Amino acid sequence: MDHTLILNTSMLLTLAVLSTPIIFPLLSDNLKSSPTVIVRTVKTSFFISLIPMTVFIHSGVESLTSCWKWEFIMNFKIPISLKMDFYSIMFFPIALFVSWSILQFATWYMASDPHITKFFIYLLLFLIAMLILILANNLFLLFIGWEGVGIMSFLLISWWHGRAEANTAALQAVLYNRVGDVGLILCMAWLASATNTWEIHQASSHVQIPTLPLMGLVLAAAGKSAQFGLHPWLPAAMEGPTPVSALLHSSTMVVAGIFLLIRTHPMYHNNPTVLTFCLCLGALSTLFASMCALTQNDIKKIIAFSTSSQLGLMMVAIGLNLPQLAFLHISTHAFFKAMLFLCSGSIIHSLNGEQDIRKMGGIQKMLPTTSSCLTIGSLALMGTPFLAGFYSKDLIIESLTTSYLNSWALLLTLLATSFTAVYTLRMILLVQTGFPRIPPVVTMNENNPAILAPITRLALGSIVAGFIITSYIPPVKTPPMTMPPSIKFTAIIVTILGVVVALELSNLSKAHIKPKRNLFSDFSSSLGYFNPLVHRFSTTNLLGGSQNIASHLIDHSWLKMAGPEGLATLQQMAAKTTTSLHSGSIKSYLGAIALSIIIMLLSS
Amino acid sequence: MGAHLARRYLWDAEAEPDPLQMPTFPAELGLPQRRPRAMVASAEQLAQGRVPLDQRDFCGHHLLRLLRCHRDNFPVPWGCHELRHAWDSCQHHE
């Protein structure tokens, strides 16, 4: 049995099936798509994608398919090359499973939208672009997928384009991603000129790539994956509908940056500058995002900052030279993060659009399944032993604590882990427990298969995904085998500390003690003052400076002061001096004549 | 936790070796009856088993047995714990 043929065929069939709802309506009016058809298509694609995964797990077959070279210029050809390796084969079913659940949920969430079919087509286009990015073996095809997911992100965030905040958020996403794209283009330009190829495996085997193009890759990843410095677009992207937040901004699109670094790992695996930069950037991102999440009151923003924090953790894994661990965290994170977003969507919709957790409460009695799944997802996020998040998060922290690397990054990551427990528990306590703070007349009904089926499916994934993936796939690098018990239990101790602190804080709030405003709470609730500093301060200074240059410097200084007006001022001085001589007195005129004659005689 | 880091800062390389300049010793130091390590699995066997390049080390034969056990027991993931332990133990001693 030709395993390679089965692998290639089934992977390409997955993509072909996914594109049918887009192509068929163009061919005939009778083949119109509908949300149900699209959900069924994605479900079928998921089941087809299980075939290559099974083949890979059974026999370890990988494949590199190359077809149709584009003769770009002489000696530089760009083939369509698709790499079906561990990463793409494993991510395909995970992405499709999560997408299937989210699309099924969206049939309920977006039921009242008049353009629901267009919404689903947009999501499908995004999914196809994402899968092209995953499969790409050369940077050109990856860039096509990269830009595709960026464009669809823009269109989907601004879905409710009547809201100014949604348009602003979409623009913000595009601009921040574009800053990152500059890095990717820089790397592609260097590779094209120095190695004459954009194939990732060829580029990494040739020469020692200098640090600048590699930092371009890191910049691209920082932009797409919302690392510190290029992070504000991710919480702002919560203006989009919840299915968009669940699919794009938690599970798939935001991990594209990390995935780029995983794919290009052979290029920088022996460059300590890049690895250290990734480690420090990831540690800073994870702590900053978790700090910002502590004081958020919008449930979607809390989950968004949580996503940003986990992306920082993935970057930390990259910095530890463990791309497979980063990929494992991508896979497990997709399940529980998508589920958290779907649960939040269910709660928001049931409360008629209320997103403030201070106006929720007692939801566990009203929406029991949603609350249970929210709790499971939160426990998985915290790294509770033997749930999905544990297998990846605990391994990353163990590798970090047993490595000889940056202890500052270690401290930040551990702090972020405890903050994760704090804000997650705060969210659960305020949303699910206590007395209801919701409006009195609210009809809640989660007894709809479109809500329950996706959420419970993802809950099952959040429980077993980590165990299944680690059972079937042996690790590429040996994890640390022995360590002192204090190191082994670091992650769980830090998480329990966070839980205790959160419980203590909730007891304080129940005792109605007025919280004091201090520097840290202001820093956290203002999101580190980053947005006004970058969006206002830098742009104000730049625009003010450029206005000064354009109007004051050129018009005022060069064209006025240095030109006619300056000349006129100089003339004025001389004119004033000579005017005082015109006194009308004969004696002064005779004196001037005498002076002139004397000067003429002396000069001749 | 982090004791090696503290030792690194407080004392010198005698107490905690610099990880960038780890001390090296001859293989027979203190053990006159030691023989040089020999690969058990051949390069062809490792290539046929499609073992990743990073894992083609002195414990490669354990990994090959583990992969074969996974393939034979597929789709059940358990049943290869002893071979997995043997590989992990070899990696640890390595």
Side-chain angles (χ1 to χ4, degrees), chain A residues 97 335 339 373 376 454-465 468:
Chain A
F97 181 80
F335 287 99
M339 185 174 68
C373 294
I376 293 171
I455 289 178
T456 45
R457 217 182 294 134
L458 287 171
L460 190 64
S462 301
I463 296 170
V464 304
I468 289 176

Side-chain angles (χ1 to χ4, degrees), chain A residues 143-434:
Chain A
F143 192 64
I144 290 173
W146 187 272
E147 291 297 298
V149 299
I151 295 291
M152 297 322 296
S153 168
F154 169 76
L155 290 172
L156 286 164
I157 294 172
S158 61
W159 179 255
W160 292 313
H161 51 81
R163 270 174 71 85
E165 290 91 348
N167 293 333
T168 315
L171 262 180
Q172 214 175 336
V174 161
L175 289 171
Y176 274 110
N177 281 345
R178 184 50 82 204
V179 171
D181 292 350
V182 167
L184 184 55
I185 292 169
L186 167 73
C187 182
M188 286 170 70
W190 188 90
L191 283 174
S193 62
T195 63
N196 205 37
T197 179
W198 275 335
E199 300 287 303
I200 296 172
H201 61 279
Q202 283 181 14
S204 50
S205 62
H206 271 312
V207 294
Q208 183 72 21
I209 299 176
T211 306
L212 183 62
L214 298 174
M215 293 303 277
L217 282 178
V218 176
L219 177 66
K224 195 65 101 183
S225 295
Q227 299 299 300
F228 180 74
L230 296 174
H231 65 278
W233 70 271
L234 187 55
M238 298 301 113
E239 290 292 332
T242 302
V244 171
S245 308
L247 182 57
L248 273 72
H249 305 123
S250 65
S251 319
T252 41
M253 183 191 133
V254 290
V255 301
I258 305 292
F259 197 85
L260 170 70
L261 289 181
I262 291 172
R263 269 270 187 258
T264 54
H265 175 251
M267 291 187 193
Y268 61 84
H269 71 281
N270 50 6
N271 188 322
T273 311
V274 172
L275 291 172
T276 310
F277 186 77
C278 288
L279 180 69
C280 297
L281 179 65
L284 187 58
S285 306
T286 186
L287 178 65
F288 182 80
S290 58
M291 271 176 62
C292 293
L294 289 173
T295 50
Q296 286 298 310
N297 295 314
D298 184 344
I299 189 172
K300 282 181 72 176
K301 288 248 164 58
I302 294 176
I303 303 174
F305 279 112
S306 157
T307 303
S308 196
S309 182
Q310 297 304 305
L311 290 166
L313 196 63
M314 292 170 204
M315 188 63 93
V316 163
I318 297 280
L320 289 171
N321 226 349
L322 299 167
Q324 203 195 22
L325 262 189
F327 180 75
L328 180 62
H329 198 50
I330 286 175
S331 308
T332 54
H333 174 262
F335 287 99
F336 55 78
K337 196 47 64 73
M339 185 174 68
L340 284 173
F341 267 111
L342 294 194
C343 293
S344 71
S346 169
I347 295 168
I348 290 167
H349 223 45
S350 302
L351 293 174
N352 290 329
E354 183 56 66
Q355 294 187 196
D356 196 329
I357 58 174
R358 295 170 296 187
K359 294 182 192 169
M360 299 177 186
I363 297 289
Q364 66 182 5
K365 296 281 168 45
M366 301 178 227
L367 300 173
T369 312
T370 304
S371 314
S372 311
C373 294
L374 188 70
T375 310
I376 293 171
S378 303
L379 288 173
L381 172 61
M382 284 196 271
T384 306
F386 310 116
L387 293 181
F390 168 76
Y391 288 94
S392 50
K393 206 170 164 184
D394 202 63
L395 267 181
I396 294 174
I397 292 176
E398 271 176 26
S399 305
L400 191 52
T401 47
T402 50
S403 73
Y404 288 100
L405 293 172
N406 204 319
S407 52
W408 172 81
L410 165 67
L411 189 64
L412 260 57
T413 310
L414 290 176
L415 214 52
T417 309
S418 69
F419 285 173
T420 303
V422 174
Y423 65 69
T424 311
L425 194 65
R426 174 176 176 260
M427 183 179 71
I428 293 175
L429 290 175
L430 279 174
V431 169
Q432 297 182 11
T433 63

Side-chain angles (χ1 to χ4, degrees), chain A residues 54 58-59 472 475-476 478, chain B residues 50 55 71 74-75 84 91-92:
Chain A
T54 312
H58 176 252
S59 55
Y472 281 111
V476 172
T478 312
Chain B
R50 297 192 194 97
Q55 292 179 307
R71 190 197 61 196
F74 186 82
R84 176 70 190 259
Q91 288 283 1
H92 171 59

